[in-house]
Amino acid sequence: MAKKFLWGTATASYQCEGAWNEDGKGLSVWDVFSHESPLNINHVTGDVACDHYHRYEEDFKLLAEGGHNSYRFSIAWPRLIPNGTGEVNRKGVEFYHKFIDSMIAHGLEPNLTLYHWDLPDALARKGGWENKETAYAFADFARLCFKEYGNKVKIWVTINEPKYSLFSMYAAGNYPPNVQDTQRLMVAAYNTMFASALAAIEFRTFKDIGHIGIVADYDPVYGVDDSEECKFAVRMADHVLNGWVTDTAIKGTFPRELVDTLAQRFDVGFMKDEDKAIFEAGTLDFLGINYYFRAYVRPYTTGECMLAANNTGKSGANVSEVDGVQRTMVAKGMFERIKDPEGIYTEWDFEIFPDGMYALLIELRDRYGDIPLYITENGLGIREKPVDGRIDDDARVDFLDQHIQALLRARSEGINVCGYYVWSAFDLYSWVNGYDKRYGLIYVDFDEGNRRIPKKSYYWYKNFIRKFEEGK
């Protein structure tokens, strides 16, 4: 693991690369969804996005000048293996060689994620993550990446945010395949974690290619009170929102209480005894944590399972209100996730809660010991437009400052946190939110040739990093 503290930013292939059909790339599930689905409510695609595919040299120069010493990115699976399995696209392989070489030449430590949601469409048509064969295909893809880039990359991530992506796919239903089916969600979740374990096993057949982890969107859970009913709700929320990813990745087993509870209402026969050895052998070296908000929960009251998705930027979209309380998630018989009436929320209903950064780092140390931790994403999505050629994003500066201070507090208490990455390097395609929701330190003018304009937060982050390095 890198000894220096890593300061960087993060992106994902489909969200920034563009070049959706260039140089032999195959279709991803997002290519098809963005072109064809009526559920693509903002009617925009990632066909060009930020054009990072053609402009990465310019982008890496900007990041290096901004004080970064690392960059987190993902590989587009269908760019390397167009159909998900079978023939390898050498043009895609060579692109990422040049891409990584340029990154390193600009002094940026590569932090590579193998899968950030752009599943090859050919595999999606065969059941996607509901089909266990996708896990084996992923292991083959991972092995190709380890073989090609293992002499250049030392920080590897199997899968980005299994929870958020799968909950969007199978609970909220706003990501393809756009269904709301808890049974199918469970199968897909199991196979996704199985894929991660298989990839880790492949990784360990190689020598001296670094360390491998997973990136989880981890939501520290807070209850509305200290009643026994609420303690149960908090415990179950932690299993559902966090533990099924992090326990499985680090300990090699799914949370027993969660499995037993789900077995009372669902078929868990897809969890095979013969897979246990794979999960145990496929544990990971570190955790990457994407922190955006906490979970505020109360005991279950009534209603079927639901998950609200706000892709409009209109506060309160799709929530379920009971007795004046806004519920953003209902896990029947287990818990309800609610909005804190005293909380501060963005237009997309993300609660701004910096204390959660400190809490989760302490919690993870207590839970898993002294394993390396990275904050692999943390950032603020807002609407922005230049004023007199400037973007004075003071809200983002304040957000980042508060969260980084919480991280440094945990680090000063001995927590083994090794790096921090802002989401995102530059404005990009924000999935179903389109381009309206901007996260970048660098503004992208999508109407004027994707022109880059560093924001106030870019310069603030550069200065913060400089002061940190000087103060060591």
Side-chain angles (χ1 to χ4, degrees):
M1 207 66 63
K3 293 181 180 179
K4 62 185 177 183
F5 192 85
L6 298 181
W7 295 102
T9 47
T11 62
S13 50
Y14 184 77
Q15 294 182 266
C16 69
E17 283 182 0
W20 73 281
N21 61 354
E22 291 187 33
D23 297 331
K25 177 184 169 293
L27 290 175
S28 80
V29 65
W30 277 93
D31 292 315
V32 175
F33 172 82
S34 68
H35 289 163
E36 301 178 6
S37 176
L39 297 175
N40 180 20
I41 59 174
N42 287 295
H43 310 295
V44 292
T45 74
D47 289 0
V48 177
C50 320
D51 200 25
H52 192 44
Y53 187 84
H54 299 110
R55 302 178 67 155
Y56 62 84
E57 289 273 6
E58 171 190 359
D59 291 333
F60 293 157
K61 183 173 184 288
L62 276 170
L63 298 183
E65 289 174 350
H68 301 49
N69 60 17
S70 186
Y71 179 62
R72 178 173 175 248
F73 67 103
S74 74
I75 295 245
W77 185 350
R79 201 177 289 285
L80 264 58
I81 307 177
N83 292 314
T85 59
E87 186 176 354
V88 173
N89 174 30
R90 292 309 305 179
K91 286 186 177 180
V93 171
E94 291 308 313
F95 165 75
Y96 284 112
H97 272 297
K98 292 185 291 184
F99 184 84
I100 294 168
D101 287 345
S102 175
M103 196 183 310
I104 293 170
H106 283 89
L108 302 171
E109 175 92 13
N111 185 330
L112 189 158
T113 297
L114 292 166
Y115 177 74
H116 198 133
W117 311 351
D118 44 0
L119 181 72
D121 184 62
L123 294 180
R125 293 178 185 276
K126 297 176 182 177
W129 290 112
E130 297 171 67
N131 183 347
K132 203 170 187 177
E133 290 305 311
T134 298
Y136 291 100
F138 177 73
D140 290 341
F141 162 63
R143 183 171 61 248
L144 170 66
C145 293
F146 301 147
K147 178 176 179 290
E148 290 289 341
Y149 311 120
N151 64 331
K152 302 175 181 181
V153 176
K154 301 304 176 188
I155 305 172
W156 296 84
V157 167
T158 57
I159 292 169
N160 179 78
E161 292 187 353
K163 178 194 74 188
Y164 191 86
S165 59
L166 291 165
F167 279 24
S168 296
M169 294 158 70
Y170 292 100
N174 59 326
Y175 288 9
N178 305 104
V179 297
Q180 296 175 328
D181 188 314
T182 304
Q183 182 67 46
R184 291 173 66 181
L185 167 61
M186 290 163 52
V187 173
Y190 181 85
N191 290 338
T192 299
M193 295 308 297
F194 189 69
S196 176
L198 289 173
I201 292 170
E202 290 289 347
F203 182 83
R204 295 192 175 104
T205 66
F206 293 81
K207 302 298 182 184
D208 300 322
I209 64 169
H211 296 254
I212 191 163
I214 196 168
V215 163
D217 49 314
Y218 194 98
D219 306 339
V221 182
Y222 293 71
V224 296
D225 58 43
D226 291 325
S227 66
E228 289 304 312
E229 293 80 7
C230 195
K231 288 178 181 177
F232 172 77
V234 166
R235 202 164 62 247
M236 296 310 299
D238 181 63
H239 293 326
V240 170
L241 299 174
N242 302 317
W244 72 268
V245 175
T246 57
D247 278 11
T248 309
I250 302 302
K251 296 180 177 180
T253 58
F254 288 91
R256 186 73 253 167
E257 185 180 30
L258 175 63
V259 175
D260 290 344
T261 302
L262 292 173
Q264 296 172 17
R265 295 183 53 227
F266 300 99
D267 177 9
V268 296
F270 56 85
M271 304 181 75
K272 303 297 184 183
D273 285 342
E274 58 265 30
D275 294 341
K276 289 181 179 179
I278 298 294
F279 284 111
E280 291 170 359
T283 55
L284 298 166
D285 304 322
F286 69 85
L287 282 176
I289 298 297
N290 294 353
Y291 177 65
Y292 290 96
F293 41 68
R294 64 167 174 169
Y296 189 57
V297 305
R298 72 176 185 181
Y300 170 76
T301 59
T302 185
E304 298 299 316
C305 292
M306 65 81 66
L307 177 63
N310 182 348
N311 297 122
T312 64
K314 297 178 181 177
S315 184
N318 300 321
V319 301
S320 167
E321 191 164 313
V322 174
D323 298 328
V325 176
Q326 291 189 333
R327 306 185 301 175
T328 59
M329 180 179 183
V330 175
K332 188 174 182 179
M334 293 190 282
F335 67 92
E336 296 176 358
R337 188 171 189 165
I338 65 173
K339 292 183 71 172
D340 183 350
E342 305 298 322
I344 300 171
Y345 290 82
T346 72
E347 294 168 296
W348 281 268
D349 291 324
F350 281 28
E351 186 181 12
I352 299 174
F353 194 76
D355 286 348
M357 176 75 83
Y358 173 80
L360 74 86
L361 290 169
I362 299 298
E363 187 173 297
L364 288 168
R365 188 271 312 277
D366 293 346
R367 192 168 188 162
Y368 303 118
D370 191 37
I371 65 167
L373 302 170
Y374 291 88
I375 297 300
T376 37
E377 289 182 26
N378 177 235
L380 180 67
I382 50 180
R383 293 182 174 93
E384 294 173 309
K385 288 185 179 179
V387 176
D388 298 327
R390 293 170 49 89
I391 302 93
D392 290 331
D393 53 340
D394 294 293
R396 180 172 292 108
V397 168
D398 185 56
F399 178 97
L400 296 177
D401 187 37
Q402 291 186 61
H403 284 78
I404 293 173
Q405 294 301 335
L407 177 152
L408 294 178
R409 178 186 168 200
R411 189 169 181 266
S412 72
E413 295 177 16
I415 303 301
N416 189 13
V417 57
C418 303
Y420 174 87
Y421 296 80
V422 178
W423 184 266
S424 54
F426 34 79
D427 296 333
L428 34 66
Y429 177 84
S430 191
W431 307 111
V432 188
N433 301 296
Y435 296 98
D436 196 31
K437 189 181 188 184
R438 292 176 179 264
Y439 278 96
L441 297 184
I442 299 168
Y443 185 87
V444 177
D445 191 333
F446 297 106
D447 298 322
E448 295 291 337
N450 285 313
R451 183 166 56 105
R452 272 67 164 153
I453 306 172
K455 304 177 187 178
K456 184 175 183 178
S457 58
Y458 167 91
Y459 296 106
W460 175 87
Y461 193 46
K462 175 181 180 178
N463 191 48
F464 187 96
I465 295 168
R466 178 183 58 79
K467 289 181 178 178
F468 175 85
E469 293 299 327
E470 290 175 350
K472 279 185 176 179

